[in-house]
Every structure is written in C-alpha cells, then in structure tokens.
Amino acid sequence: MTSFRLLAFDEISRREIIEPQLTDKKVSEYFGIDVFDERQMRQYLPREVRRAVVDAIDDGRRIDRKVADQVALGMKTWAMERGATHYTHWFQPLNDSTAEKHDAFFEPVSGGGSFETFRGELLVQQEPDASAFPNGGLRNTFEARGYSAWDPSSPAFIVDKTLCIPSIFVAYTGEALDFKTPLLKSLAALDKAAVEVGQLFDREITKVVATLGWEQEYFLVDEALFRARPDLAQCGRTLMGHTAAKDQQLDDHYWGAIPHRVMNFMKEFEEQAYRLGIPLKTRHNEVAPSQFECAPMFEEANIAVDHNTLLMTVMRKTASRHKLRVLFHEKPYMGVNGSGKHCNWSLATNTGVNLLAPGKTPKTNIQFLTFFVCTLKAAAEHGSLMMASIATETNSHRLGGHEAPPSILSVFTGTTMDAALDFIERRVSHKKMSPDEKTEIKLDIGKIPEILLDNTDRNRTSPFAFTGNRFEFRATGSSSNCALPLIVINTAVAEALYDFKAEVDALIEKDVKKDEAILQVIRRYIAASKNIRFEGNGYSCEWAEEAARRGLRSVNNVPQAFREYLRPESVALFERFGVLTRTELTARYEIKNETFIKKAQIESRIIGDLATNHIIPTAIAYQNILIENIRGIKEVFPDEFESLAGEEMKTIHEMVEHVQFIRENTHNMIEARKKWNAVESLSERAMGYETEVRPYITAIREHIDKLELIVDDRLWPLPKYRELMSIA
C-alpha cells in the first residue's frame, strides 16, 4: 500500500524556498500599470471618445458602435505595446469562478502575411456556449447560444499577455447567467432610490454608489501535503483528521510574525495585485494556524467584486510558484476557525459624502439617520433572504458555530447608537411637533458624532454590524462571490429608500413640513426594525429563543435557505426593481440545489474511497502487527499472558469496532446516495443529501479520527493536521 504521506514528505525534504522576483519601484510608480483606466484612456483615446465612455458609465447609457470601434483601437494599441497577444471577455458565471476564451489579435491575409486587428464588435459582444455553464434550465444542450457583453464601468486589464475585458454573461433569451448582470441592475436601482432621498437634503446629489471593502481570509498548505490528501485536492477541505494537540488555543498565531515563505508569497501576489489596480492595504496572520487575511481600500462595489474574484485567481497562480496551495474553502480543518469574506458596505455620493457616516450638523445627521434606518428596515424585511444569499454547501460547515456569524440575521448598532434610536422613537410624535420639540430633537441628533466617537464597539457575533461609517456583513463565505450578498442588500435598501421617499412625500402633501415628515418616517422605520436589532451574544442559545419570539427565522439548513429566493416577497422585491425575474430566480434556485448536491456527492465519494481503500487496509495492517505481538507474548510469557497482552487485546477489539462501523456506514451512505440520485426533483434530492447522506460523512469521520489516534504513526497513509497546518 502506497503512503501518500511518505511521498509528500520526500518531496518536501527536497524543496527550496523560492524568493520572489520583485520590482524595486515604489508602489505608486507602477500601481494600475496593467489597467486600461482613465489615465490610459487620456493617452490612447480622442477626448470626445473618452468623454463618451465616461458619460456612458456615469449615466448607464449604451456606447454606440462608432465610439466602440475607436475604444477598441486604442485598447488594442495599448495592450499590444504592453506585450499582449490575445484578448478575452472575462466574466463570472454562476459557479463561483471566472471564465475566459482567448482569441488572438492576429488575422491572416489572403496570399500570405497577417495583421493585428480588434474591432468594436469584438469588444462589445462575444458568443460563449451558454449551455456549458450553470444555467438552471434556461438553456438546453442543443440551445448553446449566449452572449458576453463589455461592462465599460469596470476597466480592462492585462494578465499573462491577454487583454481581459470585464463582461456580463446572458442567455440568448436575455436572462442573466452570471453575477455581474444582476449586481449592475441592483446598483442602478440603489443609485436611483438613494439620489431621490438624498435630494431631500442636498439638491447637488446626483449620483450615489455602493462601496465595498472586502476582507479575504484564506489558508495556505504545502503543495506536496495538499496533493497527498485526496480530500483537500478534490473537496477543498479535510474529510478526516484528528485535531492537532496544538492549534489556535494559545492565540499565538493571530497577528503574529508572518513566516518567511508565506511573506514571499504575499509580496509576489501583492505586486501583481498593485499592477492590476487592486488597492491591497492589509495583510496579517489570522486566528488559526496557516490562516491569513488580506484586505484592500474601499472601492465602488462593481469594481471591488471584480478585483476580489481576480485576486483569488492571482493568489492561486502565485501560490503554485511557491509550492503552496491556497484554500478558500470556508472550513478546511475541523476544530479551528474557518474563513469568511467580510463585506463592508456603504454608500457614497458624487459630492464626496459617506451617507452612513454621521455628519457635523443636525441636518447632515438626519440625512445619516435616514439612510441608516432604511438599511435597518431592509434587514428587518429581508433578513432571511440576506442569510440565504451566503448559504452554500461549503459555508454551511462554518455558519452557526462559535467562530462565525450565527444563522439568524441580526443587526448590531452599538449600545450608544441603540439608545439614540430608542430616544428618537420616544421623542418624535405622530402629531405635529412644536418648534421647541423639533429644535431639541435636532440638537440631540447633532450630538451623534460625539457619542459615537468613543462609544462604538464591535460585535463579532453579529452577521450585520454597524461599525461607525459602514455595515459589515460578516456571514459571507471566503470562497463565495461578493456579488451574491450585495445584490440582496442593494435591492432591499433600494426598496426601503423608495418607500421612505413615498411616505415623506405623502406627509408633505398633508401640509406636514419636510423636516418633520422626515423625522416621523424615521421614527416609523426605527419601530418597524426594532426586532432585528440585537446587541448581545449572537452565539447564545438564549438569543436563538429570543429571536424566535421576535419572529426572526433561522437559516441553518442550506437547501431550505435556497427556498428564500422563491418566496413571494423575494420575487416581488427583485421584479419590482428589474434586478432578477421569476424565471432567473427559479434558474438560480435550481443551480444552487444542483451545486449543493454535486459537492455533497463528491465528498461522499471521496470519503468512501479513502475509507475503503486506505483507512481500513491500514487499520487491518496494524491489527495484524498487534496480533503477531500477542502471539509473541504468549510464546515468551505464557503464564503472564493475560496481564501482559490485555491492552493489546483491548486495542484490537476497539479497532475492529471502528472498522466495522466505517465499513457498514460507507455501504449505507452509498445506498442513500443511490436512493436520492433516483429522485428527479433537485430540491428534494438536495434535502435528501442534507438529511441522509451528509450525516454519514460526519459519522464515518468520527471513527476514522479515532483510528488515527490508535494506528502506528508510521503506517498512517495521510498527512495529519499537525503537519498540514504547519508551513516551514
């Protein structure tokens, strides 16, 4: 029997640490050098063309073919000067990855020779095979046509001598088959709603953009050890492995000194990120051994999402150069913290104002309160949909544990802000307020920046926490596309803002003064969202009971969570703002169920294979060694046999029980798979995998992990946790 473990250690023993080939320039000298941004457009496009592109981005208008031809020419010239030979539409299909088909700039000429070309029609639109990507029934195998279309709001960039053009991806029938299309629609809806509300306070507000600052957590593992673990290689997580004696319990890894080999990897992927215009700002050790984090500056949400998906690709490629592998799975190792992708969300205006940051005057603070309570209202109305947006098979291993946000959505505002909201709810009247009452309330509202300055804490147990000038959605999984939760948040907040404006206008029509009308609606929204506000421990059993009394639903069963997308309230929300149609939502529901099934199926097959072909034979081999030892004891010490061989006999008996359990339950797991694979309905099949197949994986693991503690370390075929989680 071949030991994966021994082969892995043999490779590691011959390894050299790779020093990255880094530029000696300052970051400011090469930041964005591989991006066709406004700086490059000024150099390679005529002024009127550049102006047309910028106006189209700002106003959401189409770019006509003549302008597209000129943009394509300038883009090709720039790219070829930087060594590019190919171009591709770079898009994000519904598989948590990116897609690209490379075409050469060169075209042959009749009679010999060739020339380089790139026309506007190639820039604007291409035709990938829409049936080959997840489509939820929107495309049949024989209906292959789909379209990728240029997104001018996200600048093109060069990777490996290929010009990458960020694009949307839609079916021939027009339905979205990607993350970017509904994200852009949700951003447009939010912009329109936020501008209308913003103009209640400042007529110069003409554009509002959602901003995003993501925090990407990840694990690193030596490449040789990674390849020696079929479960890591195929599933992204370990399906077996006993907890190491020392992991994170001493809190000595968090923010500790970064290992030299890891630092080399970080420096190299950061340099590539800077060249691609990704404004990385932070790097540090995370809580668990071999876990790390990077985070950029805030950016416009669409670009931030593109940058996050692009960086994940860059990190994977860079890691392989350093003989490492990046693990973006939310829970690669049992018993230690998993990885998330915290999404810090806010709103910024064309006037340079953060709408979720308290201002310096009562007027600006009433504006802040308006957008703040509308966000609370959105969370209260669509909290379960927000939690469903981050529900995946991989994230299910992390959510609900005492290391990550719980499965019930609540909003942490901070005790001081919580008290301020309660004060406003009490003081603002339904009836007409006297001038003195309005003045007193405004003066108190004006104190918000002062009281928040030193009295705002953070609550790590809250899925959606206000942290002073933004909301942090902590529940997103590290492998997920940031667009998923943003689509829900943007659309839900757009709804709250539209409703807010309508209610204020209705009061003004009844001769209520504008400022008083705004305060009255703020009061209503504070009351309407009170059930979602929670300042305590989101991990506690008491909170689960309290949340149930408040009418908040727990989203801890992944297939059930997917159903949130098809609830009438969810369909109405997305259709109201043209973000997703019922057909598109149904397709996504099918895709989510299918992905869940396939991932659970792969894990089941892998653990079955490892148990049958590696773990059980290893256990039997060790049993035979013990049996031979017992025979020797009996021959040498016949009179003392029972006392001397008692422990070995007990160990053999224990191993036999573990092996029998593993063997029987592996068979039962396979039968359960067959049973549910025969069920036609994807949603029913997903629920069957959740309730009947996945529990076998957990149960089999428990017995394998106990065998790991018994079997001779020299015989165990797989690298153990103490080895996987240590990077020399």
Side-chain angles (χ1 to χ4, degrees), residues 640-654:
E640 302 173 71
F641 170 70
E642 290 190 7
S643 61
L644 294 177
E647 285 302 315
E648 281 82 353
M649 296 287 287
K650 189 186 299 183
T651 299
I652 291 173
H653 188 269
E654 185 179 349

Side-chain angles (χ1 to χ4, degrees), residues 80-99:
M80 290 186 64
E81 285 179 4
R82 300 206 57 76
T85 58
H86 290 68
Y87 63 91
T88 182
H89 272 201
W90 181 83
F91 58 95
Q92 300 165 40
L94 298 171
N95 58 8
D96 284 331
S97 185
T98 57

Side-chain angles (χ1 to χ4, degrees), residues 415-426:
T415 52
T416 306
M417 194 65 199
D418 191 58
L421 294 175
D422 288 341
F423 166 80
I424 295 167
E425 184 185 2
R426 288 194 308 270

